[in-house]
Amino acid sequence: QVQLVESGGGLVQPGGSLRLSCAASGFSFSAYAMSWYRQAPGKERELVARTTSTGSTPNYADFVKGRFTISRDNGKNTVYLQMNSLEPEDTAVYYCNAVHIIIKNRTYWGQGTQVTVSS
């Protein structure tokens, strides 16, 4: 059974930090590119960061460059999102996504974790 389970969300003050984790199971984690997306109320889901199957070439949305870092541990089947200098505009549900590196329509989503940035 394929599972992506996000954790680490919560309430944080502006300027604070959070580290999200996404634990994968039921598929060959190292054969998938991993991404974090987010969706704020009333808005479409948007890409935050993506990493290749080896973690060697991360890329980021402009609005998080310099503040967020995506990483992965293939030995633990986990991808992380370190979020620093959080802003109220970062408030959203954050989702983990996996896409097979060859079979692009083989994709999985987690259930999401809420991040709220507020004083």
Side-chain angles (χ1 to χ4, degrees), residues 5-100:
V5 180
E6 299 99 334
S7 61
L11 174 64
V12 63
Q13 291 187 343
S17 298
L18 283 174
R19 189 194 195 203
L20 305 183
S21 299
C22 173
S25 60
F27 63 97
S28 298
F29 183 73
S30 60
Y32 287 72
M34 298 299 298
S35 301
W36 287 96
Y37 285 75
R38 72 185 187 186
Q39 187 166 19
K43 295 188 177 181
E44 293 190 354
R45 192 172 297 189
E46 59 185 358
L47 176 66
V48 175
R50 174 175 288 138
T51 184
T52 60
S53 58
T54 61
S56 60
T57 313
N59 57 74
Y60 301 92
D62 287 344
F63 52 79
V64 302
K65 281 183 180 177
R67 299 189 298 126
F68 291 10
T69 302
I70 188 171
S71 62
R72 65 190 293 163
D73 185 337
N74 284 353
K76 295 182 178 180
N77 288 357
T78 302
V79 62
Y80 306 96
L81 186 68
Q82 177 67 44
M83 305 187 295
N84 299 328
S85 302
L86 283 161
E87 305 167 351
E89 293 74 22
D90 296 317
T91 295
V93 178
Y94 284 71
Y95 296 91
C96 178
N97 170 258
V99 177
H100 195 275

